[in-house]
Structure formats: C-alpha cells, structure tokens
Amino acid sequence: MNEQLFDPAWANAQDAADPLRDFRNQFHIPLHDGAPQAYFCGNSLGLQPKGARAMVEEVLDKWARDAVEGHFLEPAPWMPYHALVREALAGVVGAQPLEVVAMNSLTANLHFMLVSFYRPTRERPAILMEAGAFPSDRQALESQVRFHGFDPATDLIELAPDEADGTFSMAAIERAIAEHGPRLAAVVWPGVQYRTGQAFDLKEIARLGHAAGAVVGFDLAHAVGNLPLQLHDSDADFAVWCHYKYMNSGPGAVAGCFVHQRHAKTNRPRFAGWWGHDQASRFRMEGNFVPTPGADGWQLSNPPILGLAPLRASLDLFAGAGMDKLRARSLELTGYLEQLIRARLSDTLQIVTPREPERRGAQLSLRVLQGRGLMGRAAGRALFEFLATRGVLGDWREPDVIRISPAPLYNTRADILRFASEVAAWRDGA
Ligand SMILES: *Cc1c(COP(=O)(O)O)cnc(C)c1O
C-alpha cells in the first residue's frame, strides 16, 4: 500500500483519471528551471486563470473604444458590472444573491460591517475573537472597540487555543461564549484559521453567539473557494472575505461581503455612499440616502472595474467545477499529503492542522521538527528555502510553520509526491 503511494506512475495515473483534471490547464502555472512549479501557495495568492486576461482586456478595450459610454453599452456595461458576479458568488458561499456583494477590500469590509453590526453598550461592550488572529483582523477589531470609547484590555476578548497544536475545541468556544455571554456585543470568528488551517462549524458558532445575545460575523479569507459554505443557513449576521487566495482573482482583488437576508432592509447605522443608494433614484443626485436592499446597500463607490474583471474568469471556473466536487478532490489531495507525511516524514514534519477532514480545508500547516542537524525554526527555514530551490513553493509563517495548500483546481498528486520526495531528499542530505 505505502509503496504504491510513493510511485510516481501511480500518482500520474490517478491524476489522469480525475474528473476535474482539465481545470489545471485553465491556469498559468509558474515555471521553475523551465518546468512547472509545484505551487502550494493558493492560500496566499491563487494562480492566474488564463481567462483573466481576456476579461481585463475587455474592460481596457471598452474604455478605449467607448469611454464614458462604457457604463451603459453591452456587453458587460460598467454601471451594473458588480451584478455580473452576484449569482456565481452567491453559489460559492451558499448565499442568496441579495446577500452578497463584491466590493472594497477584506479589511475595509470588516470595518464597514462592524460599523453596522458592532453596537456596543455599557452592559454589552465586548467582542470575542480568537487569540493569534490574522493581524489585520485584530487591528480592525481593536480599533473599533477604541472608536466606541471602550477599552480593548477588557472588551476585546481573545480566546486562547485549548488544544496542543494551537487549535480550538468547540467546547472551548462554547465555554467562552457562556462565560462572557452577557457582555458580548459580537463574536467575530474565522471560517478557517490562517495559521493552523483549522476549519470551524460556523452554524454552531452562530447559534451559540446568537443564543448569548451577540451578533456573529465571520472572516472567510481562508474558507471561501476552499470549503463549501452555507452562509445563509449558517445564520451569520455578516461575513467578509478576499478573492486573491483560493478564489484566484489576482493581487488585491476586489473583496466579498455577505449580509444575511434578515438585515436586507435594516435601519442599523451604516457608513453610506452613493453606490449603496436606491438604484432607481441614484442619479437624481439628491443628498439623502435611501439604501438599496441587501448587501448592495453597503457599497460606497462605483467599483474598480479593472479589479473586478478577473473575478468573472475565476467564478466561471468555480461554477464549472462546483464546490462539492472541488471539496471531494480537495479531501483526496490533502488526505494524500497527510498519508505521505505520516508514512515517511513523521520524524521531520509535525502536522499542526486537525486530523479530522471536517475540521480542515485544503491546507496542512507543518511544523519542522528537525533535519540536517538543525532544530525547530532554523530547520524550518532551511527546509523551506531548500524546497524553493527545487521548485516546490509553500509558504512560511512565523515563528515555525510551513503551510502547504493543495488547490483542487490546479494541484495534482504528482505535485504532492514531489513535495514529499524533496522533503525526504533534504532530510537525507541528498
Ligand atoms: C489574507 C487575510 C487578510 C488580508 O486582508 P486584506 O484587507 O485583504 O489586505 C485579512 N485577514 C485574514 C484572516 C486573512 O487571511
């Protein structure tokens, strides 16, 4: 059994038989010494879909040809351009079309959502988040607490991981919500934790948060395009994410935002701008603000069309493959990576990500134990750099983690076997 797993011919045959095999050809795979890289950084910057260039060129051509009239002329007029991505995006995150919008950047959307949904009072001032969060999230939440005149020392509650590898049990989250419940204004939690790769039961977190009287929002930066999401059914109040990681829409791509249908016509406060104004009367150019229903009502500005264009190409691929099939392939690929590590590399690599497939997405976070006479962080850096010289690209997260994220749209078993072989070569001093 183990022998077969390490046989390149077997890995290639598995790849050739995969129903999603043709999607790899839809991407530009970077080269290393003239051969395709084994690229495992889709959790950081997804590869470029070949269709992205045509989408961007369509905008440039229209601008050259039609100038201001490009706002109205078919195909793909700019005025309703953001609506071109709505249906497919709703499909990827399991939302109703009214509940999603592509706009701004992730951190900006987090702030705009908090303006509406984090309404602290003396009795309920606090936000619960995970300790060790992505810095931008922590900075956004801390600054929101301060903005409202509260003290992050007491009112930004950062739950420490309770499991050995820095992951969270559901019981710990439940206990924290129970303990702080009466003081909680909001729970803000990741869909997939960026450093450990742990995935969470969003529906259960939303249920617990709501039962405590708090608003619940999710940061799905590492979950969208990675796990099939049911955002509407999860009952979250809001969610935010970016499109440059598993969504393959390019550096700094326009981000995503979800507002649950029950808030579609809310009169909560919000920071407003004309693109969120009622569409029928937007161009009457009156100063009053009448929000358009749904997530669209949180838009501020006319969107950066050039920034949105690659998302159309990406969403075509997701719609073609389907999140459920992608998840099935992702389970196979990441399961294969885990098998190879456990079979031959457990003296070198410790898997930090939870073992249970339902508690993770594509990514495995790997702590390098030792190798070539080095320990811990020094060994990790040395292995990471060795892999890069061999055309195997993971990414490094301080203080000691290499993240390897097989993306089911373009990674293969052959890529994964190459990773494992190169780690063994490094360990064995080849
Ligand atoms: C990638 C990522 C970000 C990045 O934020 P931007 O606003 O897109 O620069 C923020 N938070 C999390 C959890 C991330 O994974």
Side-chain angles (χ1 to χ4, degrees), residues 43-44 104-110 130 133-138 190 192-194 219-223 240-245 252-253 255 397 403:
N43 59 316
S44 184
N104 308 322
S105 63
L106 190 171
T107 307
N109 287 342
L110 181 54
E130 96 268 29
F134 196 96
S136 197
D137 296 57
R138 193 187 178 286
V192 173
Q193 216 281 342
Y194 82 102
D219 184 328
L220 304 176
H222 284 262
V240 295
W241 60 89
C242 55
H243 285 131
Y244 48 81
K245 293 172 179 167
R397 273 291 169 265
R403 300 185 300 182

PDB file of all heavy atoms in Angstrom, residues 43-44 104-110 130 133-138 190 192-194 219-223 240-245 252-253 255 397 403, ligand 1:
ATOM      1  N   ASN A  43      -3.350  29.441  -0.841  1.00  0.00           N
ATOM      2  CA  ASN A  43      -3.924  30.048   0.355  1.00  0.00           C
ATOM      3  C   ASN A  43      -3.438  31.487   0.542  1.00  0.00           C
ATOM      4  O   ASN A  43      -3.924  32.193   1.405  1.00  0.00           O
ATOM      5  CB  ASN A  43      -3.535  29.227   1.589  1.00  0.00           C
ATOM      6  CG  ASN A  43      -2.027  29.150   1.732  1.00  0.00           C
ATOM      7  OD1 ASN A  43      -1.325  28.922   0.748  1.00  0.00           O
ATOM      8  ND2 ASN A  43      -1.529  29.361   2.920  1.00  0.00           N
ATOM      9  N   SER A  44      -2.471  31.883  -0.267  1.00  0.00           N
ATOM     10  CA  SER A  44      -1.886  33.215  -0.123  1.00  0.00           C
ATOM     11  C   SER A  44      -2.173  34.044  -1.373  1.00  0.00           C
ATOM     12  O   SER A  44      -2.757  35.125  -1.301  1.00  0.00           O
ATOM     13  CB  SER A  44      -0.376  33.073   0.098  1.00  0.00           C
ATOM     14  OG  SER A  44       0.204  34.317   0.326  1.00  0.00           O
ATOM     15  N   ASN A 104     -14.745  46.709  -2.346  1.00  0.00           N
ATOM     16  CA  ASN A 104     -13.659  47.112  -1.434  1.00  0.00           C
ATOM     17  C   ASN A 104     -12.603  46.024  -1.252  1.00  0.00           C
ATOM     18  O   ASN A 104     -12.373  45.201  -2.132  1.00  0.00           O
ATOM     19  CB  ASN A 104     -14.239  47.500  -0.060  1.00  0.00           C
ATOM     20  CG  ASN A 104     -15.346  48.515  -0.141  1.00  0.00           C
ATOM     21  OD1 ASN A 104     -15.266  49.424  -0.964  1.00  0.00           O
ATOM     22  ND2 ASN A 104     -16.365  48.378   0.678  1.00  0.00           N
ATOM     23  N   SER A 105     -11.993  46.043  -0.075  1.00  0.00           N
ATOM     24  CA  SER A 105     -11.020  45.021   0.317  1.00  0.00           C
ATOM     25  C   SER A 105     -11.541  44.343   1.576  1.00  0.00           C
ATOM     26  O   SER A 105     -12.505  44.808   2.193  1.00  0.00           O
ATOM     27  CB  SER A 105      -9.662  45.667   0.594  1.00  0.00           C
ATOM     28  OG  SER A 105      -9.790  46.564   1.682  1.00  0.00           O
ATOM     29  N   LEU A 106     -10.898  43.260   1.961  1.00  0.00           N
ATOM     30  CA  LEU A 106     -11.396  42.492   3.106  1.00  0.00           C
ATOM     31  C   LEU A 106     -11.450  43.345   4.381  1.00  0.00           C
ATOM     32  O   LEU A 106     -12.479  43.426   5.051  1.00  0.00           O
ATOM     33  CB  LEU A 106     -10.460  41.290   3.332  1.00  0.00           C
ATOM     34  CG  LEU A 106     -10.878  40.186   4.313  1.00  0.00           C
ATOM     35  CD1 LEU A 106      -9.912  39.023   4.193  1.00  0.00           C
ATOM     36  CD2 LEU A 106     -10.962  40.631   5.727  1.00  0.00           C
ATOM     37  N   THR A 107     -10.335  43.978   4.731  1.00  0.00           N
ATOM     38  CA  THR A 107     -10.296  44.715   5.994  1.00  0.00           C
ATOM     39  C   THR A 107     -11.266  45.894   5.970  1.00  0.00           C
ATOM     40  O   THR A 107     -11.923  46.191   6.982  1.00  0.00           O
ATOM     41  CB  THR A 107      -8.864  45.173   6.313  1.00  0.00           C
ATOM     42  OG1 THR A 107      -7.986  44.040   6.260  1.00  0.00           O
ATOM     43  CG2 THR A 107      -8.778  45.779   7.699  1.00  0.00           C
ATOM     44  N   ALA A 108     -11.382  46.549   4.814  1.00  0.00           N
ATOM     45  CA  ALA A 108     -12.356  47.644   4.704  1.00  0.00           C
ATOM     46  C   ALA A 108     -13.766  47.096   4.945  1.00  0.00           C
ATOM     47  O   ALA A 108     -14.555  47.684   5.698  1.00  0.00           O
ATOM     48  CB  ALA A 108     -12.265  48.299   3.330  1.00  0.00           C
ATOM     49  N   ASN A 109     -14.073  45.954   4.347  1.00  0.00           N
ATOM     50  CA  ASN A 109     -15.412  45.393   4.537  1.00  0.00           C
ATOM     51  C   ASN A 109     -15.657  45.004   5.989  1.00  0.00           C
ATOM     52  O   ASN A 109     -16.779  45.160   6.500  1.00  0.00           O
ATOM     53  CB  ASN A 109     -15.622  44.184   3.622  1.00  0.00           C
ATOM     54  CG  ASN A 109     -15.791  44.592   2.165  1.00  0.00           C
ATOM     55  OD1 ASN A 109     -16.073  45.755   1.879  1.00  0.00           O
ATOM     56  ND2 ASN A 109     -15.621  43.657   1.258  1.00  0.00           N
ATOM     57  N   LEU A 110     -14.616  44.510   6.652  1.00  0.00           N
ATOM     58  CA  LEU A 110     -14.768  44.168   8.068  1.00  0.00           C
ATOM     59  C   LEU A 110     -15.151  45.420   8.861  1.00  0.00           C
ATOM     60  O   LEU A 110     -16.076  45.401   9.684  1.00  0.00           O
ATOM     61  CB  LEU A 110     -13.465  43.546   8.589  1.00  0.00           C
ATOM     62  CG  LEU A 110     -13.437  43.102  10.045  1.00  0.00           C
ATOM     63  CD1 LEU A 110     -14.580  42.150  10.377  1.00  0.00           C
ATOM     64  CD2 LEU A 110     -12.088  42.440  10.370  1.00  0.00           C
ATOM     65  N   GLU A 130     -10.579  35.050  18.185  1.00  0.00           N
ATOM     66  CA  GLU A 130      -9.563  34.054  18.516  1.00  0.00           C
ATOM     67  C   GLU A 130      -8.232  34.745  18.801  1.00  0.00           C
ATOM     68  O   GLU A 130      -7.864  35.705  18.112  1.00  0.00           O
ATOM     69  CB  GLU A 130      -9.444  33.012  17.402  1.00  0.00           C
ATOM     70  CG  GLU A 130      -8.352  33.205  16.361  1.00  0.00           C
ATOM     71  CD  GLU A 130      -8.769  33.981  15.114  1.00  0.00           C
ATOM     72  OE1 GLU A 130      -9.681  34.836  15.203  1.00  0.00           O
ATOM     73  OE2 GLU A 130      -8.160  33.746  14.045  1.00  0.00           O
ATOM     74  N   ALA A 133      -5.099  35.762  15.932  1.00  0.00           N
ATOM     75  CA  ALA A 133      -5.785  36.054  14.667  1.00  0.00           C
ATOM     76  C   ALA A 133      -4.839  36.727  13.686  1.00  0.00           C
ATOM     77  O   ALA A 133      -3.793  37.272  14.071  1.00  0.00           O
ATOM     78  CB  ALA A 133      -6.984  36.964  14.926  1.00  0.00           C
ATOM     79  N   PHE A 134      -5.214  36.732  12.445  1.00  0.00           N
ATOM     80  CA  PHE A 134      -4.504  37.490  11.421  1.00  0.00           C
ATOM     81  C   PHE A 134      -4.414  38.945  11.903  1.00  0.00           C
ATOM     82  O   PHE A 134      -5.414  39.507  12.334  1.00  0.00           O
ATOM     83  CB  PHE A 134      -5.285  37.404  10.107  1.00  0.00           C
ATOM     84  CG  PHE A 134      -4.498  37.814   8.905  1.00  0.00           C
ATOM     85  CD1 PHE A 134      -3.853  36.871   8.124  1.00  0.00           C
ATOM     86  CD2 PHE A 134      -4.412  39.153   8.546  1.00  0.00           C
ATOM     87  CE1 PHE A 134      -3.130  37.252   7.006  1.00  0.00           C
ATOM     88  CE2 PHE A 134      -3.682  39.538   7.422  1.00  0.00           C
ATOM     89  CZ  PHE A 134      -3.039  38.592   6.649  1.00  0.00           C
ATOM     90  N   PRO A 135      -3.226  39.546  11.840  1.00  0.00           N
ATOM     91  CA  PRO A 135      -3.056  40.868  12.462  1.00  0.00           C
ATOM     92  C   PRO A 135      -4.094  41.903  12.028  1.00  0.00           C
ATOM     93  O   PRO A 135      -4.586  42.674  12.857  1.00  0.00           O
ATOM     94  CB  PRO A 135      -1.649  41.281  12.015  1.00  0.00           C
ATOM     95  CG  PRO A 135      -0.942  39.995  11.758  1.00  0.00           C
ATOM     96  CD  PRO A 135      -1.977  39.008  11.300  1.00  0.00           C
ATOM     97  N   SER A 136      -4.418  41.927  10.746  1.00  0.00           N
ATOM     98  CA  SER A 136      -5.348  42.955  10.281  1.00  0.00           C
ATOM     99  C   SER A 136      -6.706  42.836  10.971  1.00  0.00           C
ATOM    100  O   SER A 136      -7.343  43.848  11.299  1.00  0.00           O
ATOM    101  CB  SER A 136      -5.523  42.853   8.760  1.00  0.00           C
ATOM    102  OG  SER A 136      -6.091  44.027   8.247  1.00  0.00           O
ATOM    103  N   ASP A 137      -7.141  41.625  11.213  1.00  0.00           N
ATOM    104  CA  ASP A 137      -8.435  41.426  11.875  1.00  0.00           C
ATOM    105  C   ASP A 137      -8.390  41.948  13.303  1.00  0.00           C
ATOM    106  O   ASP A 137      -9.294  42.633  13.768  1.00  0.00           O
ATOM    107  CB  ASP A 137      -8.812  39.942  11.875  1.00  0.00           C
ATOM    108  CG  ASP A 137      -9.014  39.405  10.474  1.00  0.00           C
ATOM    109  OD1 ASP A 137      -8.067  39.518   9.665  1.00  0.00           O
ATOM    110  OD2 ASP A 137     -10.096  38.891  10.179  1.00  0.00           O
ATOM    111  N   ARG A 138      -7.288  41.608  13.978  1.00  0.00           N
ATOM    112  CA  ARG A 138      -7.159  42.073  15.356  1.00  0.00           C
ATOM    113  C   ARG A 138      -7.091  43.590  15.405  1.00  0.00           C
ATOM    114  O   ARG A 138      -7.697  44.242  16.263  1.00  0.00           O
ATOM    115  CB  ARG A 138      -5.913  41.462  16.001  1.00  0.00           C
ATOM    116  CG  ARG A 138      -5.929  41.681  17.496  1.00  0.00           C
ATOM    117  CD  ARG A 138      -4.691  41.287  18.248  1.00  0.00           C
ATOM    118  NE  ARG A 138      -4.898  41.632  19.641  1.00  0.00           N
ATOM    119  CZ  ARG A 138      -4.868  42.873  20.104  1.00  0.00           C
ATOM    120  NH1 ARG A 138      -4.625  43.897  19.295  1.00  0.00           N
ATOM    121  NH2 ARG A 138      -5.116  43.117  21.382  1.00  0.00           N
ATOM    122  N   PRO A 190     -12.982  33.186  12.477  1.00  0.00           N
ATOM    123  CA  PRO A 190     -12.582  32.780  11.122  1.00  0.00           C
ATOM    124  C   PRO A 190     -13.337  31.535  10.645  1.00  0.00           C
ATOM    125  O   PRO A 190     -13.740  30.699  11.466  1.00  0.00           O
ATOM    126  CB  PRO A 190     -11.090  32.470  11.280  1.00  0.00           C
ATOM    127  CG  PRO A 190     -10.935  32.035  12.700  1.00  0.00           C
ATOM    128  CD  PRO A 190     -11.990  32.785  13.498  1.00  0.00           C
ATOM    129  N   VAL A 192     -11.744  29.468   8.407  1.00  0.00           N
ATOM    130  CA  VAL A 192     -10.560  28.610   8.509  1.00  0.00           C
ATOM    131  C   VAL A 192      -9.453  29.488   9.091  1.00  0.00           C
ATOM    132  O   VAL A 192      -9.204  30.578   8.585  1.00  0.00           O
ATOM    133  CB  VAL A 192     -10.127  28.068   7.122  1.00  0.00           C
ATOM    134  CG1 VAL A 192      -8.791  27.326   7.216  1.00  0.00           C
ATOM    135  CG2 VAL A 192     -11.188  27.137   6.543  1.00  0.00           C
ATOM    136  N   GLN A 193      -8.819  29.024  10.166  1.00  0.00           N
ATOM    137  CA  GLN A 193      -7.774  29.821  10.811  1.00  0.00           C
ATOM    138  C   GLN A 193      -6.531  29.839   9.908  1.00  0.00           C
ATOM    139  O   GLN A 193      -6.078  28.779   9.452  1.00  0.00           O
ATOM    140  CB  GLN A 193      -7.455  29.231  12.191  1.00  0.00           C
ATOM    141  CG  GLN A 193      -7.121  30.273  13.244  1.00  0.00           C
ATOM    142  CD  GLN A 193      -5.697  30.821  13.158  1.00  0.00           C
ATOM    143  OE1 GLN A 193      -4.855  30.216  12.531  1.00  0.00           O
ATOM    144  NE2 GLN A 193      -5.458  31.966  13.788  1.00  0.00           N
ATOM    145  N   TYR A 194      -5.982  31.024   9.670  1.00  0.00           N
ATOM    146  CA  TYR A 194      -4.955  31.130   8.625  1.00  0.00           C
ATOM    147  C   TYR A 194      -3.657  30.390   8.964  1.00  0.00           C
ATOM    148  O   TYR A 194      -2.976  29.895   8.080  1.00  0.00           O
ATOM    149  CB  TYR A 194      -4.649  32.611   8.334  1.00  0.00           C
ATOM    150  CG  TYR A 194      -3.675  33.264   9.284  1.00  0.00           C
ATOM    151  CD1 TYR A 194      -2.346  33.457   8.913  1.00  0.00           C
ATOM    152  CD2 TYR A 194      -4.062  33.676  10.551  1.00  0.00           C
ATOM    153  CE1 TYR A 194      -1.433  34.048   9.787  1.00  0.00           C
ATOM    154  CE2 TYR A 194      -3.165  34.266  11.421  1.00  0.00           C
ATOM    155  CZ  TYR A 194      -1.843  34.440  11.039  1.00  0.00           C
ATOM    156  OH  TYR A 194      -0.943  35.017  11.892  1.00  0.00           O
ATOM    157  N   ASP A 219     -14.878  35.913   9.264  1.00  0.00           N
ATOM    158  CA  ASP A 219     -13.868  36.236   8.270  1.00  0.00           C
ATOM    159  C   ASP A 219     -13.557  34.953   7.509  1.00  0.00           C
ATOM    160  O   ASP A 219     -13.021  33.993   8.077  1.00  0.00           O
ATOM    161  CB  ASP A 219     -12.599  36.780   8.929  1.00  0.00           C
ATOM    162  CG  ASP A 219     -11.581  37.200   7.872  1.00  0.00           C
ATOM    163  OD1 ASP A 219     -11.552  36.577   6.790  1.00  0.00           O
ATOM    164  OD2 ASP A 219     -10.809  38.137   8.133  1.00  0.00           O
ATOM    165  N   LEU A 220     -13.893  34.948   6.237  1.00  0.00           N
ATOM    166  CA  LEU A 220     -13.789  33.726   5.434  1.00  0.00           C
ATOM    167  C   LEU A 220     -12.625  33.764   4.458  1.00  0.00           C
ATOM    168  O   LEU A 220     -12.628  33.047   3.452  1.00  0.00           O
ATOM    169  CB  LEU A 220     -15.111  33.513   4.687  1.00  0.00           C
ATOM    170  CG  LEU A 220     -16.337  33.468   5.604  1.00  0.00           C
ATOM    171  CD1 LEU A 220     -17.613  33.346   4.778  1.00  0.00           C
ATOM    172  CD2 LEU A 220     -16.232  32.314   6.593  1.00  0.00           C
ATOM    173  N   ALA A 221     -11.613  34.586   4.763  1.00  0.00           N
ATOM    174  CA  ALA A 221     -10.472  34.742   3.848  1.00  0.00           C
ATOM    175  C   ALA A 221      -9.919  33.380   3.400  1.00  0.00           C
ATOM    176  O   ALA A 221      -9.628  33.181   2.224  1.00  0.00           O
ATOM    177  CB  ALA A 221      -9.370  35.557   4.507  1.00  0.00           C
ATOM    178  N   HIS A 222      -9.784  32.450   4.355  1.00  0.00           N
ATOM    179  CA  HIS A 222      -9.191  31.150   4.040  1.00  0.00           C
ATOM    180  C   HIS A 222     -10.237  30.051   3.828  1.00  0.00           C
ATOM    181  O   HIS A 222      -9.877  28.889   3.665  1.00  0.00           O
ATOM    182  CB  HIS A 222      -8.209  30.738   5.141  1.00  0.00           C
ATOM    183  CG  HIS A 222      -6.920  31.480   5.044  1.00  0.00           C
ATOM    184  ND1 HIS A 222      -5.801  30.957   4.442  1.00  0.00           N
ATOM    185  CD2 HIS A 222      -6.597  32.747   5.408  1.00  0.00           C
ATOM    186  CE1 HIS A 222      -4.828  31.858   4.465  1.00  0.00           C
ATOM    187  NE2 HIS A 222      -5.286  32.953   5.050  1.00  0.00           N
ATOM    188  N   ALA A 223     -11.488  30.425   3.862  1.00  0.00           N
ATOM    189  CA  ALA A 223     -12.546  29.425   3.695  1.00  0.00           C
ATOM    190  C   ALA A 223     -13.204  29.510   2.318  1.00  0.00           C
ATOM    191  O   ALA A 223     -13.570  28.484   1.736  1.00  0.00           O
ATOM    192  CB  ALA A 223     -13.611  29.610   4.784  1.00  0.00           C
ATOM    193  N   VAL A 240     -17.131  38.454   5.693  1.00  0.00           N
ATOM    194  CA  VAL A 240     -16.249  39.170   4.755  1.00  0.00           C
ATOM    195  C   VAL A 240     -15.161  38.214   4.289  1.00  0.00           C
ATOM    196  O   VAL A 240     -14.826  37.254   4.986  1.00  0.00           O
ATOM    197  CB  VAL A 240     -15.613  40.412   5.421  1.00  0.00           C
ATOM    198  CG1 VAL A 240     -16.678  41.445   5.772  1.00  0.00           C
ATOM    199  CG2 VAL A 240     -14.824  40.034   6.683  1.00  0.00           C
ATOM    200  N   TRP A 241     -14.616  38.485   3.120  1.00  0.00           N
ATOM    201  CA  TRP A 241     -13.535  37.638   2.610  1.00  0.00           C
ATOM    202  C   TRP A 241     -12.813  38.367   1.485  1.00  0.00           C
ATOM    203  O   TRP A 241     -13.273  39.401   1.007  1.00  0.00           O
ATOM    204  CB  TRP A 241     -14.080  36.291   2.106  1.00  0.00           C
ATOM    205  CG  TRP A 241     -15.085  36.390   0.992  1.00  0.00           C
ATOM    206  CD1 TRP A 241     -14.834  36.413  -0.356  1.00  0.00           C
ATOM    207  CD2 TRP A 241     -16.526  36.477   1.127  1.00  0.00           C
ATOM    208  NE1 TRP A 241     -16.025  36.501  -1.060  1.00  0.00           N
ATOM    209  CE2 TRP A 241     -17.069  36.544  -0.182  1.00  0.00           C
ATOM    210  CE3 TRP A 241     -17.401  36.502   2.215  1.00  0.00           C
ATOM    211  CZ2 TRP A 241     -18.441  36.648  -0.426  1.00  0.00           C
ATOM    212  CZ3 TRP A 241     -18.772  36.608   1.966  1.00  0.00           C
ATOM    213  CH2 TRP A 241     -19.274  36.674   0.662  1.00  0.00           C
ATOM    214  N   CYS A 242     -11.674  37.805   1.078  1.00  0.00           N
ATOM    215  CA  CYS A 242     -10.956  38.357  -0.065  1.00  0.00           C
ATOM    216  C   CYS A 242     -11.041  37.357  -1.214  1.00  0.00           C
ATOM    217  O   CYS A 242     -11.452  36.216  -1.029  1.00  0.00           O
ATOM    218  CB  CYS A 242      -9.508  38.657   0.294  1.00  0.00           C
ATOM    219  SG  CYS A 242      -8.623  37.228   0.966  1.00  0.00           S
ATOM    220  N   HIS A 243     -10.634  37.798  -2.397  1.00  0.00           N
ATOM    221  CA  HIS A 243     -10.750  36.950  -3.588  1.00  0.00           C
ATOM    222  C   HIS A 243      -9.406  36.585  -4.206  1.00  0.00           C
ATOM    223  O   HIS A 243      -9.361  36.046  -5.303  1.00  0.00           O
ATOM    224  CB  HIS A 243     -11.633  37.627  -4.645  1.00  0.00           C
ATOM    225  CG  HIS A 243     -13.085  37.586  -4.312  1.00  0.00           C
ATOM    226  ND1 HIS A 243     -13.913  38.689  -4.351  1.00  0.00           N
ATOM    227  CD2 HIS A 243     -13.880  36.560  -3.916  1.00  0.00           C
ATOM    228  CE1 HIS A 243     -15.138  38.345  -3.993  1.00  0.00           C
ATOM    229  NE2 HIS A 243     -15.154  37.065  -3.724  1.00  0.00           N
ATOM    230  N   TYR A 244      -8.309  36.915  -3.522  1.00  0.00           N
ATOM    231  CA  TYR A 244      -7.000  36.636  -4.141  1.00  0.00           C
ATOM    232  C   TYR A 244      -6.387  35.339  -3.639  1.00  0.00           C
ATOM    233  O   TYR A 244      -5.368  34.907  -4.145  1.00  0.00           O
ATOM    234  CB  TYR A 244      -6.018  37.801  -3.936  1.00  0.00           C
ATOM    235  CG  TYR A 244      -5.933  38.321  -2.512  1.00  0.00           C
ATOM    236  CD1 TYR A 244      -5.172  37.673  -1.557  1.00  0.00           C
ATOM    237  CD2 TYR A 244      -6.628  39.465  -2.145  1.00  0.00           C
ATOM    238  CE1 TYR A 244      -5.101  38.145  -0.261  1.00  0.00           C
ATOM    239  CE2 TYR A 244      -6.564  39.958  -0.849  1.00  0.00           C
ATOM    240  CZ  TYR A 244      -5.799  39.289   0.096  1.00  0.00           C
ATOM    241  OH  TYR A 244      -5.750  39.756   1.378  1.00  0.00           O
ATOM    242  N   LYS A 245      -6.982  34.693  -2.643  1.00  0.00           N
ATOM    243  CA  LYS A 245      -6.432  33.433  -2.134  1.00  0.00           C
ATOM    244  C   LYS A 245      -7.011  32.278  -2.970  1.00  0.00           C
ATOM    245  O   LYS A 245      -6.711  32.177  -4.142  1.00  0.00           O
ATOM    246  CB  LYS A 245      -6.709  33.329  -0.635  1.00  0.00           C
ATOM    247  CG  LYS A 245      -5.897  34.401   0.126  1.00  0.00           C
ATOM    248  CD  LYS A 245      -6.232  34.536   1.586  1.00  0.00           C
ATOM    249  CE  LYS A 245      -5.333  35.628   2.197  1.00  0.00           C
ATOM    250  NZ  LYS A 245      -5.765  36.050   3.530  1.00  0.00           N
ATOM    251  N   GLY A 252      -4.663  41.811  -4.571  1.00  0.00           N
ATOM    252  CA  GLY A 252      -5.507  42.943  -4.182  1.00  0.00           C
ATOM    253  C   GLY A 252      -6.884  42.934  -4.826  1.00  0.00           C
ATOM    254  O   GLY A 252      -7.566  43.969  -4.870  1.00  0.00           O
ATOM    255  N   ALA A 253      -7.325  41.780  -5.313  1.00  0.00           N
ATOM    256  CA  ALA A 253      -8.632  41.692  -5.993  1.00  0.00           C
ATOM    257  C   ALA A 253      -9.747  42.281  -5.119  1.00  0.00           C
ATOM    258  O   ALA A 253      -9.656  42.299  -3.895  1.00  0.00           O
ATOM    259  CB  ALA A 253      -8.964  40.228  -6.287  1.00  0.00           C
ATOM    260  N   ALA A 255     -12.855  42.498  -2.931  1.00  0.00           N
ATOM    261  CA  ALA A 255     -13.215  41.513  -1.909  1.00  0.00           C
ATOM    262  C   ALA A 255     -14.716  41.215  -1.906  1.00  0.00           C
ATOM    263  O   ALA A 255     -15.473  41.740  -2.726  1.00  0.00           O
ATOM    264  CB  ALA A 255     -12.776  42.016  -0.535  1.00  0.00           C
ATOM    265  N   ARG A 397       5.194  30.812   7.724  1.00  0.00           N
ATOM    266  CA  ARG A 397       4.532  31.677   8.694  1.00  0.00           C
ATOM    267  C   ARG A 397       5.297  31.619  10.000  1.00  0.00           C
ATOM    268  O   ARG A 397       5.481  30.532  10.570  1.00  0.00           O
ATOM    269  CB  ARG A 397       3.081  31.233   8.930  1.00  0.00           C
ATOM    270  CG  ARG A 397       2.093  31.825   7.947  1.00  0.00           C
ATOM    271  CD  ARG A 397       1.908  33.323   8.151  1.00  0.00           C
ATOM    272  NE  ARG A 397       1.165  33.959   7.064  1.00  0.00           N
ATOM    273  CZ  ARG A 397       1.700  34.571   6.008  1.00  0.00           C
ATOM    274  NH1 ARG A 397       3.008  34.628   5.881  1.00  0.00           N
ATOM    275  NH2 ARG A 397       0.951  35.118   5.081  1.00  0.00           N
ATOM    276  N   ARG A 403       3.212  26.282   5.416  1.00  0.00           N
ATOM    277  CA  ARG A 403       1.841  25.947   5.006  1.00  0.00           C
ATOM    278  C   ARG A 403       1.886  25.371   3.590  1.00  0.00           C
ATOM    279  O   ARG A 403       2.479  25.968   2.690  1.00  0.00           O
ATOM    280  CB  ARG A 403       0.946  27.189   5.026  1.00  0.00           C
ATOM    281  CG  ARG A 403       0.845  27.820   6.401  1.00  0.00           C
ATOM    282  CD  ARG A 403      -0.146  28.972   6.427  1.00  0.00           C
ATOM    283  NE  ARG A 403       0.214  30.039   5.498  1.00  0.00           N
ATOM    284  CZ  ARG A 403      -0.481  31.172   5.366  1.00  0.00           C
ATOM    285  NH1 ARG A 403      -1.578  31.373   6.085  1.00  0.00           N
ATOM    286  NH2 ARG A 403      -0.093  32.093   4.511  1.00  0.00           N
TER     287      ARG A 403
HETATM  288  C1  LIG B   1      -5.478  37.390   3.886  1.00  0.00           C
HETATM  289  C2  LIG B   1      -6.161  37.884   5.118  1.00  0.00           C
HETATM  290  C3  LIG B   1      -6.349  39.254   5.348  1.00  0.00           C
HETATM  291  C4  LIG B   1      -5.814  40.306   4.410  1.00  0.00           C
HETATM  292  O1  LIG B   1      -6.559  41.481   4.473  1.00  0.00           O
HETATM  293  P1  LIG B   1      -6.677  42.481   3.260  1.00  0.00           P
HETATM  294  O2  LIG B   1      -7.605  43.512   3.745  1.00  0.00           O
HETATM  295  O3  LIG B   1      -7.168  41.702   2.081  1.00  0.00           O
HETATM  296  O4  LIG B   1      -5.293  43.007   2.973  1.00  0.00           O
HETATM  297  C5  LIG B   1      -7.026  39.625   6.499  1.00  0.00           C
HETATM  298  N1  LIG B   1      -7.489  38.699   7.374  1.00  0.00           N
HETATM  299  C6  LIG B   1      -7.319  37.387   7.169  1.00  0.00           C
HETATM  300  C7  LIG B   1      -7.853  36.401   8.164  1.00  0.00           C
HETATM  301  C8  LIG B   1      -6.646  36.935   6.059  1.00  0.00           C
HETATM  302  O5  LIG B   1      -6.454  35.629   5.874  1.00  0.00           O
END
